[in-house]
Structure formats: C-alpha cells, structure tokens
Amino acid sequence: MINPAPSLLDHDEMQRGIAGGRKLPVPMLPSEVVRIETAMHFACVGDKTIRAWAKTYGIGRQADRHAPLQISFPALLMKVDGELQTLDRFRAGDRSHPSVTFYLDRAVMLLEELRKPRSKR
C-alpha cells in the first residue's frame, strides 16, 4: 500500500482557509483586483493598514517580496463593512451566496463609477 505524500497544510486548516496561522488569500478574478492606492481610497485607511489586512484577513496577495500587492476589491468591501462571515464564504468559493453576490455587484458598480470620466459622474 502506498502512503500519500504528506500535506504541508492540515486538512482542517485548509477547509477554514488558514495556512500557518494566517488566512489564505481569497480567490481573485483579474477584474476584481485593485491597486493598494485604490484600496486605501475606498477604505479610508493608510498603506500599512491595507497591508496588515491583506496578511491577517487574506484580502490580498503578493507573488513575491518585490511584486505589487494585489487587493481583492470585493473582499476589501466585506472587511470594511465587518462582514467576516461573508468574507469566509467568498474565500471558500461560494460566489452564489446572496451576501457574496451583493458585494460582487457592489464592487462592479463602484469600479465602473470610478472609471467614468469626471464630467460624466
């Protein structure tokens, strides 16, 4: 009998979206990613706070040390509103739950508004 390779993550931790005591990043579509400056604007907080939230709550990802931090805009909105249960649903991939779809739709609406020329706002 062949033993399976040991996992780097405990199965229970993987189910909860945790790796080594920190939250795994939420799954992000390219259209949902915003720069840290945009995240700072919408959350009304500074760079260090966004970086701390990305690490603690898994609302962002960084490919390597020198890569830019990518923030999930829907996840940011969930964190700002204190909707951590919705954030956990989002992390688990439940994009069809009503509370998650609310934030996905809200993120699209806010980003479309931001991308409009100033004269049309």
Side-chain angles (χ1 to χ4, degrees):
M1 184 178 215
I2 299 173
N3 290 334
S7 172
L8 297 176
L9 296 176
D10 177 311
H11 179 71
D12 189 43
E13 283 188 341
M14 188 94 110
Q15 290 293 100
R16 291 180 309 198
I18 299 172
R22 69 177 180 83
K23 291 283 186 177
L24 293 172
V26 296
M28 295 181 229
L29 297 176
S31 60
E32 299 169 348
V33 173
V34 295
R35 297 175 49 159
I36 195 164
E37 295 83 5
T38 305
M40 290 166 48
H41 170 76
F42 279 98
C44 298
V45 296
D47 173 79
K48 288 182 181 181
T49 301
I50 296 293
R51 290 180 186 282
W53 288 353
K55 185 176 181 181
T56 305
Y57 297 100
I59 65 167
R61 67 180 177 209
Q62 193 169 14
D64 64 39
R65 192 171 153 207
H66 299 291
L69 179 62
Q70 297 178 322
I71 303 295
S72 165
F73 192 49
L76 174 73
L77 296 174
M78 293 171 197
K79 165 58 185 119
V80 167
D81 287 350
E83 292 291 332
L84 300 183
Q85 188 175 26
T86 301
L87 184 57
D88 287 338
R89 280 191 183 107
F90 187 45
R91 179 176 294 103
D94 188 359
R95 298 175 76 90
S96 62
H97 190 278
S99 64
V100 175
T101 58
F102 169 79
Y103 281 96
L104 292 172
D105 293 343
R106 186 171 165 213
V108 167
M109 181 194 67
L110 289 170
L111 288 174
E112 285 176 354
E113 187 67 27
L114 185 66
R115 291 178 179 140
K116 282 183 185 176
R118 287 196 183 271
S119 62
K120 301 223 179 194
R121 287 188 200 173

